[in-house]
Amino acid sequence: MSDRPSPPRKPRFQRHSGKPARRDFGPRRTFGDPETVVLYGWHPVVEALRNGKRAIRRLLATENSARRLHEELGEHLPAEPEIVRPDEINRLVEADAVHQGLYLEASPLPSPSVETLSGKGVVLALDQITDPHNVGAIVRTAAAFGVEAIITTARHSPAATGVLAKSASGGLEHVPFMVVRNLSDTLIALGERGFQRVGLDSSGENRLDEVPLKEPVVLVLGSEGKGLRQRTRECCDVIGRLDMPGAIKSLNVSNAAAISLFAVTKAVSGPTRP
């Protein structure tokens, strides 16, 4: 065996080209910071970049996605993306998240209050719906129907970020969230302002399409398993139900939201003009 000392080994993460080692983007985000909204995926990020009310803090993109961003937004791109590799975004999002090479951190959008709601269009209230995929799908539907705001509770509700934002597919930029401490108190306050409070529940005494509706109206949806809480029901003016003619009598809450929003918005908008 030779007594010559062996040359020191290069660190495993050093590139042979002499480029610096991979940047440390920190641990995977927990999405618990209420002052930071995390968006990823093409539609959520592009809609946020188009929204002049969004304060952009950080934009990461792979080379291909950055090129596509410039083609889509051109000179209207509000922030120049930092070019990264896909695995560097992987470290910042949930496991198995489909980020499509785009990651954005931004400030929350301005939130309405009971006093600032115009009453034009439907307001949607969610009574402790906890699945972010369901809430995201509801947000996307709400954006399609021109819902003025979505009311959620500070507890037992997912934050408007991460998985929820991806499921909403850009809808977060078009329907503001109003986060309240107590949903019942908020419904009472809305009633005092003249809002018709319509709960949706399978045990409702009236078919939703037979309930006389008028603006301003707030449609209240219950949680995935328990439906509307008793106190929430007591704060509604009427409880409607969706009658299903087929063998399956219950729907996923996001599907029920789509059908009920169609019925309610059609009813309050009046007869269709030719």
Side-chain angles (χ1 to χ4, degrees):
M1 179 180 296
S2 172
D3 293 332
R4 291 174 57 190
S6 59
R9 292 184 178 180
K10 294 181 179 180
R12 286 187 299 172
F13 53 80
Q14 183 174 338
R15 299 190 181 107
H16 295 293
S17 61
K19 294 181 180 180
R22 187 174 74 178
R23 289 161 289 181
D24 183 7
F25 280 73
R28 193 183 304 278
R29 290 192 63 90
T30 59
F31 305 96
D33 180 5
E35 298 304 316
T36 302
V37 174
V38 173
L39 306 172
Y40 54 79
W42 179 257
H43 291 295
V45 171
V46 170
E47 287 299 305
L49 294 173
R50 285 185 171 133
N51 187 354
K53 296 180 180 179
R54 277 286 188 197
I56 308 302
R57 298 182 180 180
R58 187 185 190 195
L59 175 60
L60 307 181
T62 60
E63 289 186 7
N64 289 337
S65 294
R67 187 180 306 111
R68 189 180 173 194
L69 273 182
H70 281 281
E71 292 172 355
E72 182 81 12
L73 300 177
E75 61 183 14
H76 300 292
L77 184 62
E80 189 63 27
E82 180 181 352
I83 306 301
V84 298
R85 293 191 303 268
D87 64 304
E88 291 170 326
I89 299 179
N90 289 341
R91 297 185 60 193
L92 298 173
V93 299
E94 300 96 338
D96 302 321
V98 181
H99 55 71
Q100 297 170 293
L102 289 176
Y103 172 93
L104 176 70
E105 293 180 10
S107 299
L109 289 171
S111 177
S113 65
V114 170
E115 293 73 25
T116 61
L117 290 172
S118 71
K120 297 179 181 179
V122 179
V123 172
L124 196 59
L126 309 183
D127 187 16
Q128 296 191 350
I129 300 177
T130 58
D131 188 328
H133 295 92
N134 279 337
V135 177
I138 291 171
V139 173
R140 185 175 184 180
T141 299
F145 282 100
V147 167
E148 182 179 6
I150 294 177
I151 302 172
T152 64
T153 53
R155 298 180 60 191
H156 307 294
S157 297
T161 187
V163 172
L164 188 158
K166 185 67 167 66
S167 300
S169 192
L172 281 179
E173 308 308 313
H174 305 285
V175 186
F177 267 55
M178 178 177 158
V179 182
V180 301
R181 293 186 61 184
N182 189 294
L183 181 58
S184 298
D185 290 346
T186 303
L187 291 174
I188 292 172
L190 288 172
E192 293 171 347
R193 288 200 60 214
F195 277 77
Q196 183 182 18
R197 300 157 299 183
V198 180
L200 185 70
D201 196 275
S202 59
S203 63
E205 60 268 24
N206 303 284
R207 279 177 40 177
L208 184 61
D209 60 342
E210 295 178 345
V211 175
L213 298 172
K214 58 181 177 57
E215 288 183 338
V217 60
V218 53
L219 177 64
V220 189
L221 302 179
S223 64
E224 295 91 339
K226 299 179 180 179
L228 296 174
R229 291 175 293 167
Q230 183 61 36
R231 178 60 176 155
T232 303
R233 293 175 65 96
E234 294 171 354
C235 293
C236 292
D237 300 303
V238 62
I239 305 295
R241 69 178 187 275
L242 296 175
D243 282 346
M244 300 292 105
I248 302 297
K249 300 300 181 182
S250 62
L251 295 173
N252 174 279
V253 66
S254 62
N255 294 328
I259 296 173
S260 56
L261 278 174
F262 174 79
V264 172
T265 53
K266 182 179 179 181
V268 299
S269 62
T272 303
R273 295 180 180 178

